[in-house]
Amino acid sequence: MKAIQVAEFGPPEVMVLHEVADLEPGPGQVVVTVKAAGVNPVDTYIRSGLYRHAPVPPYTPGIDAAGVIAAVGPEVKHRRVGDRVYVAWSVSGTYGEKALCAEFQTHPLPEGVSFAQGAALGVPYGAAYRALFQRARASAGETVLVHGASGGVGLGAVQLARAAGLRVIGTAGSDEGRALVQAQGAHHVLNHHEPGYLDKLNELTCGRGVDVILEMLANVNLDKDLTLLAVGGRVAVIGSRGRIEIDPRDAMGREASILGVTMYNATPEDLASMHAAFVAGLENGTLRPVVSRVLPLAEAAAAHHAVMEASTLGKIVLVP
């Protein structure tokens, strides 16, 4: 089979398509024929060698994918050859023609949902769900501000929050991005390139502030975020690329919380809960992953350059 290999940490060009040994499932494992593999910013952090949980090279990158079960090992109880599934984490990596997975790293992919859409679920929707419901404990009737709502995580958050009965305010930097966020269910969309755009939140919340903020770039926004919260408000930090100085008094007066978010701390119970929600959302149509670009597997390096661009709308996927 063919798969991308990273022989040493470095820039995107260290990813090279190679012939590698075929995969065989062990006890409790399945092999998935990959029809599409999702590309995430975290994949680039791992490839660069700067990530705490990086594997030892050589390795095959990729966390998300979708495809068809090709083989099952002993003790597999809930998957059958031919099942359509999406993959969230794997044993082997997903940037290849096949992926080796533990049985419960695969999840049913309903008919009518494309493989490319399935590959857009795991990391983006997982981060959004964990931030909204498992960390910030958002509930129906609350107001959520989603920074960078036109990206993969942001769009997942907009859809999840709207389906759960929250009032959703998103931000995006282009006309196309704002239209996309509006189409995915946001009640209001702000232009984050417009000076003073966050001042509009006072009017949109009748002076109360927002209950939850999903923060994708905390090193830029966190200090301001704390001034936007309602009493008891929460900022869920999903992403940051540096340090920032804040005034703790902005949190004190509101009894606000700053919550870190990482999928690596999710328990098996947390993961089971979120994926049950995802499958239900795919079945009833409230979750509609948006795929912006589809590239051949051999162009993994180009995909890693593209996924770090601020203008990316939706999800980039690779097709073997």
Side-chain angles (χ1 to χ4, degrees), residues 236-285:
V237 179
I238 298 170
S240 184
R241 298 184 185 179
R243 301 175 67 88
I244 188 171
E245 181 177 306
I246 66 170
D247 184 347
R249 290 185 178 278
D250 290 327
M252 292 163 60
R254 296 169 175 80
E255 294 192 324
S257 302
I258 302 171
L259 304 165
V261 180
T262 175
M263 291 295 293
Y264 280 99
N265 289 334
T267 66
E269 293 76 17
D270 291 336
L271 295 172
S273 175
M274 70 174 61
H275 289 292
F278 298 164
V279 173
L282 294 172
E283 290 174 339
N284 65 30

Side-chain angles (χ1 to χ4, degrees), residues 4 6 10-15 37-49 59-63 94-95 241 293 295-310 312 316-318:
I4 295 292
V6 174
E13 287 68 28
V14 300
M15 296 186 295
V39 178
N40 298 293
V42 68
D43 300 342
T44 74
Y45 307 149
I46 294 170
R47 183 217 69 237
S48 70
Y59 74 96
T60 294
I63 296 171
T94 59
Y95 288 15
R241 298 184 185 179
R293 295 179 66 182
L295 297 173
L297 184 61
E299 295 183 23
H304 272 216
H305 283 293
V307 78
M308 298 306 290
E309 295 174 359
T312 298
I316 298 172
V317 302
L318 297 169

Side-chain angles (χ1 to χ4, degrees), residues 144-160:
V144 58
L145 170 65
V146 182
H147 283 294
S150 61
V153 177
L155 291 172
V158 168
Q159 294 173 5
L160 287 163

Side-chain angles (χ1 to χ4, degrees), residues 100-168:
L100 178 66
C101 307
E103 179 179 7
F104 291 108
Q105 291 174 324
T106 68
H107 309 276
L109 185 67
E111 294 293 337
V113 181
S114 71
F115 290 117
Q117 288 179 304
L121 282 163
V123 168
Y125 281 74
Y129 188 94
R130 185 159 181 78
L132 275 169
F133 304 118
Q134 295 178 344
R135 297 293 291 137
R137 306 292 182 186
S139 59
E142 291 193 308
T143 298
V144 58
L145 170 65
V146 182
H147 283 294
S150 61
V153 177
L155 291 172
V158 168
Q159 294 173 5
L160 287 163
R162 182 63 189 259
L166 281 86
R167 187 159 177 258
V168 184

Side-chain angles (χ1 to χ4, degrees), residues 32 34 72 77-78 88 99 136 146 148-149 184 200 220 236 257 280 284 294 311:
V32 176
V34 174
V72 299
K77 299 179 180 179
H78 301 280
V146 182
Q184 298 309 309
K200 296 180 180 179
V220 172
S257 302
N284 65 30
V294 178
S311 59

